[in-house]
Amino acid sequence: MLTLILKSIMADDMAGVRAQSPAATPSASGRSVWRRLRRHRLAIAGGTITLIVTVLALASPILLRADPTGIDVEHILARPSASHWLGTDDFGRDLLSRILGGVRLSLLIG
């Protein structure tokens, strides 16, 4: 008789455990997502690159001195240098500031 009662109690306890499985709670499911994500090196690399580009785009007004639309006639098609890290286009516009300006616009739209 005692064994039947213990089995009944254990069955009730196990039903409660099944009802509150770790995947059902939001914090546990978030942890499992991060745990699975850490195993995928390409996902981590892509996320890191995306984060770096986003931070650079948001900080570009502080970091860059060149105007993305400003024309510098003296430096048309200039090679990369200290003043123009990626060089200039055929109108003398700084390529790095234009790329980061485009990323900022894309982030704003997205």
Side-chain angles (χ1 to χ4, degrees):
M1 180 75 155
L2 184 60
T3 56
L4 288 175
I5 293 172
L6 287 174
K7 285 182 182 179
S8 172
I9 290 171
M10 289 184 68
D12 289 337
D13 286 341
M14 291 305 290
V17 169
R18 279 189 219 113
Q20 296 178 354
S21 67
T25 60
S27 63
S29 66
R31 280 182 279 183
S32 68
V33 168
W34 286 111
R35 195 174 305 129
R36 285 186 292 159
L37 184 65
R38 281 190 301 208
R39 285 186 248 149
H40 298 286
R41 294 181 191 259
L42 285 177
I44 291 173
T48 303
I49 291 170
T50 303
L51 181 68
I52 289 170
V53 168
T54 303
V55 168
L56 282 175
L58 294 175
S60 65
I62 299 168
L63 297 175
L64 299 176
R65 297 170 297 218
D67 180 24
T69 59
I71 296 175
D72 186 6
V73 181
E74 295 176 8
H75 294 103
I76 292 176
L77 295 174
R79 292 186 174 162
S81 64
S83 60
H84 302 287
W85 290 2
L86 293 180
T88 60
D89 63 1
D90 50 350
F91 292 110
R93 299 175 295 197
D94 185 53
L95 290 177
L96 180 62
S97 61
R98 290 185 59 80
I99 290 170
L100 291 179
V103 171
R104 290 184 70 211
L105 182 63
S106 297
L107 287 174
L108 180 69
I109 291 172

